[in-house]
Amino acid sequence: MSTPRKRPGAARAPKVARSRRSPRPIWQQYAEDVVAGTVPAGRLVRLAAERFLADLSHYGTARSRRALWLDEAAADRAVRFFPKLLRHHKGEWSGQPFELAPWQAFIIANLLGWKRQDGTRRFRKGLAEVPRKNGKTQLGAGLGLYLLTADGEPGAEIYAAATKRDQATILHDEATRMVRSSPALRARVGVFRQNLHVLQTHSKFEPLGADHNTLDGLNPSAVLVDELHAHKTRHLLDVLETAMGSRRQPLLFAITTAGHSRASVCWELHEYARQVLETAVDDPSFFAYVAAMEPGDDWTLEATWARANPNLGVSVKLDYLRRECEQAQRIIGKQNAFRRLHCNDWTEQRNRWLELEVWDRCSAPVDLDTLAGRRCFLGLDLSTNRDVTALVAYFPPEEEGEPGEVLPFFFIPEAGIPERVRGDGVPFDTWSELGLVTATPGDAVDYSWIRERIHRLREESMVDVVEIAYDPWGATQFAPELAAEGFVMVPTRQGWQTMAPALRELERLLLLGRLAHGGHPVLRWMVSNVAVVEDSAGNVRPHKGASADRIDGVVALAMAVHRASLHAGGTELEADDLLLVV
């Protein structure tokens, strides 16, 4: 019998790296194992896996009219690049192929496999945050070499970026050693001091520090930021990200261990990654993988180490962590270092207020048209010139056991929207178009728009506005004007005496499911930002300075809920508590 001849031009099915235990690709099997709980992982890694599987189910692996698709052949090509061309060059694996661990394959397959409808890469920015000794520098070096030699970008410019050029050379030197230990790469990639280059494609891979003489003239196609937590400012990232504007599919990818400063660009990116994974922010172009202990986890337990260290038992040795942990328990000064470096814990991390799952359980719809005649308490948190002002209406339940209903209104100066979108990635432009935020003309919030909204509630919607709780700071003129128009104004300073019981009452309603907020996306985003500070008695209040971003809507809601609870409890309202015009 003759062997069937292959049809000319017939495409050969791509070979895809498969797990030894499953016919699924190794990166998909990893995601499924994380979700199933058979692979130890923290909450944010689990959310990354859930995001991948949900996107895979929704978009699929075939290029179509859908906005995104997973190019399995491209993902497989990138994953196979590592063991095929790269070799370990030190330690117990010296000379052996660089076989990606499942979690590393998951990262590479996501970054290089997901495509947009036009065939360019989906992810343009990303963060991989893992503890020390998990092989993140080696992963970054291998990714840089793939982008240099196999990405197909004409005139590629790849930079290993850090605060100091000496730090940037750590990742770049790793890539250089990989080239020298690989006959295939050595034949194609030129090595000259701190420069790797491919003459045929006019491409280069170099280290770059913020202390470089000049950052002018750069045209990076990819930037690999090493140890982002060491960056004190975002200057270098801003320069490089701006310089990437002419590239068709740029990639800025940060690899780091947790830091300890909440005023850092690393914390900003960490918080942004968390919000993307929690769906508080919708950004399909941002990839995040954050392996860390959970708040409340015991840092001395091996189960905690397993969740935080995806390479435990491979490059991270259990005996080593045991010795380091024993020392840290004896020497108090070493505890924060152990938690940060080996559990990826932000040791000065803010205390988050509420899990979004609790908030989302209270997302029943709210319709203003059905609230005519209802008693309403307003909370008002006025902004400084360029930030968000929040006005939140709370309608106490009319019947026992029913939920109170919430209607938030947000105001932002129109001129500040592009900066917030560009600098912080918060979609105020989309929210404004959808009517979720009111953009007032100019550089500052025009308070007349807020006054008009309050009057419309009372006069058009026929709502019984009982009180307006407000922070007196910055409202010295606005509050008396509303009082003169017949509204009862209650100054509510944002200190312990008022905000601790206010937040406690809001928590109570949420935990009992006695609140309906309609799932408003701006208010949900603010909930995800809230940090709290605790006193010696265990009371907590919102802390704007420690929070990830704006929390004004939550503060306004807590004030309104608190005033309603005082009325329900029959608390007498002292004359000194009210701002009245006699």
Side-chain angles (χ1 to χ4, degrees):
M1 179 182 291
S2 62
T3 303
R5 296 180 62 186
K6 183 180 176 182
R7 187 174 72 255
R12 179 178 297 174
K15 293 182 178 179
V16 178
R18 306 286 177 179
S19 165
R20 293 179 181 179
R21 298 183 293 104
S22 168
R24 291 178 176 80
I26 189 171
W27 54 84
Q28 181 179 342
Q29 186 62 55
Y30 172 77
E32 291 178 356
D33 288 346
V34 165
V35 172
T38 57
V39 168
R43 188 178 66 90
L44 293 181
V45 169
R46 188 172 66 254
L47 289 176
E50 290 174 353
R51 181 193 192 195
F52 170 80
L53 294 175
D55 286 350
L56 183 61
S57 174
H58 181 70
Y59 294 112
T61 59
R63 187 172 182 176
S64 65
R65 294 184 179 180
R66 290 180 179 271
L68 303 171
W69 59 292
L70 179 63
D71 185 344
E72 282 196 321
D76 180 66
R77 182 168 180 248
V79 168
R80 288 180 181 273
F81 173 87
F82 283 76
K84 184 176 181 181
L85 294 178
L86 306 182
R87 296 288 182 273
H88 292 286
H89 53 82
K90 59 184 177 182
E92 61 187 289
W93 298 288
S94 180
Q96 296 183 28
F98 188 167
E99 293 281 355
L100 292 177
W103 70 275
Q104 293 173 321
F106 176 77
I107 291 174
I108 295 299
N110 269 279
L111 288 177
L112 302 178
W114 278 105
K115 301 290 182 67
R116 302 183 180 192
Q117 188 180 15
D118 62 5
T120 59
R121 282 195 298 269
R122 164 190 180 176
F123 291 116
R124 305 301 169 89
K125 187 183 290 188
L127 173 69
E129 189 181 308
V130 294
R132 288 184 65 184
K133 297 186 179 297
N134 277 272
K136 60 182 181 297
T137 299
Q138 290 78 9
L139 183 67
L143 174 60
L145 289 175
Y146 179 89
L147 294 170
L148 175 70
T149 63
D151 192 40
E153 180 75 20
E157 290 184 22
I158 297 97
Y159 294 100
T163 53
K164 303 284 187 182
R165 187 176 176 89
D166 288 347
Q167 175 65 39
T169 60
I170 294 175
L171 187 149
H172 190 268
D173 287 348
E174 187 72 26
T176 301
R177 286 189 288 266
M178 288 179 175
V179 169
R180 287 176 170 157
S181 63
S182 169
L185 288 180
R186 199 165 58 238
R188 188 180 182 200
V189 179
V191 180
F192 180 73
R193 294 181 182 175
Q194 292 182 341
N195 167 277
L196 300 174
H197 57 270
V198 178
L199 292 177
Q200 295 91 328
T201 60
H202 307 287
S203 300
K204 65 179 182 178
F205 182 8
E206 295 178 345
L208 182 68
D211 57 348
H212 194 265
N213 291 335
T214 179
L215 297 174
D216 296 334
L218 299 176
N219 185 23
S221 54
V223 175
L224 307 170
V225 185
D226 195 18
E227 296 299 1
L228 180 63
H229 70 86
H231 291 244
K232 294 181 180 179
T233 72
R234 58 179 308 115
H235 172 69
L236 179 61
L237 268 67
D238 286 343
V239 170
L240 292 172
E241 194 168 0
T242 302
M244 299 169 81
S246 63
R247 293 289 183 170
R248 64 192 181 101
Q249 51 176 10
L251 175 64
L252 191 152
F253 187 55
I255 54 176
T256 189
T257 301
H260 51 74
S261 172
R262 293 191 302 268
S264 66
V265 63
C266 187
W267 176 253
E268 288 180 17
L269 203 62
H270 169 94
E271 284 295 272
Y272 188 75
R274 176 184 62 77
Q275 291 175 336
V276 169
L277 292 174
E278 290 178 345
T279 71
V281 171
D282 180 22
D283 186 350
S285 69
F286 189 93
F287 173 79
Y289 182 94
V290 180
M293 64 179 285
E294 297 297 306
D297 277 355
D298 186 341
W299 59 273
T300 67
L301 296 181
E302 293 180 7
T304 298
W305 308 343
R307 286 193 292 273
N309 291 269
N311 247 26
L312 185 63
V314 185
S315 61
V316 182
K317 303 303 182 186
L318 188 56
D319 286 345
Y320 168 77
L321 289 185
R322 286 169 176 164
R323 291 194 301 271
E324 290 294 299
C325 183
E326 288 172 4
Q327 268 197 3
Q329 290 180 77
R330 296 191 190 104
I331 305 171
I332 302 299
K334 294 192 69 173
Q335 289 186 9
N336 276 355
F338 181 89
R339 289 169 53 192
R340 183 174 71 84
L341 298 176
H342 300 301
C343 298
N344 215 37
D345 182 30
W346 284 77
T347 49
E348 294 181 10
Q349 181 173 327
R350 66 190 180 93
N351 293 316
R352 290 185 61 199
W353 170 52
L354 188 77
E355 293 297 335
L356 282 177
E357 291 85 348
V358 176
W359 178 259
D360 289 342
R361 286 200 296 266
C362 297
S363 297
V366 178
D367 184 359
L368 179 58
D369 293 337
T370 66
L371 296 172
R374 290 275 297 276
R375 297 168 73 248
C376 169
F377 292 80
L378 297 180
L380 177 62
D381 193 8
L382 295 172
S383 68
T384 53
N385 290 340
R386 300 175 62 197
D387 283 320
V388 183
T389 284
L391 173 70
V392 180
Y394 173 66
F395 299 83
E398 294 183 306
E399 301 291 339
E400 184 69 26
E402 291 183 351
E405 296 176 275
V406 176
L407 277 176
F409 306 93
F410 299 100
F411 305 83
I412 187 171
E414 189 174 41
I417 289 178
E419 181 181 344
R420 291 304 308 270
V421 173
R422 181 177 60 255
D424 303 326
V426 183
F428 279 106
D429 52 349
T430 301
W431 288 340
S432 176
E433 291 171 5
L434 294 174
L436 301 170
V437 171
T438 298
T440 69
D443 296 320
V445 172
D446 185 343
Y447 289 172
S448 67
W449 290 63
I450 303 167
R451 180 185 294 107
E452 180 188 1
R453 178 70 264 183
I454 294 172
H455 276 281
R456 285 169 56 196
L457 279 173
R458 183 174 68 177
E459 294 152 16
E460 294 181 14
S461 301
M462 305 299 291
V463 166
D464 177 14
V465 178
V466 180
E467 289 180 359
I468 303 176
Y470 71 101
D471 182 355
W473 187 89
T476 52
Q477 181 177 347
F478 185 65
E481 289 174 350
L482 283 172
E485 293 164 355
F487 294 100
V488 177
M489 306 297 293
V490 183
T492 308
R493 290 174 174 82
Q494 294 178 13
W496 287 105
Q497 187 175 0
T498 53
M499 291 312 300
L503 197 64
R504 186 163 57 246
E505 176 62 15
L506 179 55
E507 288 173 350
R508 186 184 73 84
L509 295 178
L510 287 165
L511 292 171
L512 292 174
R514 293 182 182 172
L515 201 71
H517 52 68
H520 195 288
V522 183
L523 187 55
R524 184 178 189 268
W525 169 69
M526 290 183 175
V527 169
S528 78
N529 290 329
V530 177
V532 293
V533 61
E534 184 175 351
D535 67 8
S536 58
N539 300 306
V540 298
R541 66 174 177 85
H543 192 305
K544 288 188 175 182
S547 296
D549 209 308
R550 306 309 306 175
I551 64 171
D552 313 81
V554 179
V555 171
L557 173 58
M559 290 193 295
V561 163
H562 181 51
R563 295 307 306 176
S565 70
L566 293 178
H567 275 257
T571 302
E572 292 294 330
L573 303 179
E574 300 291 340
D576 290 344
D577 291 335
L578 306 179
L579 178 60
L580 301 171
V581 175
V582 180

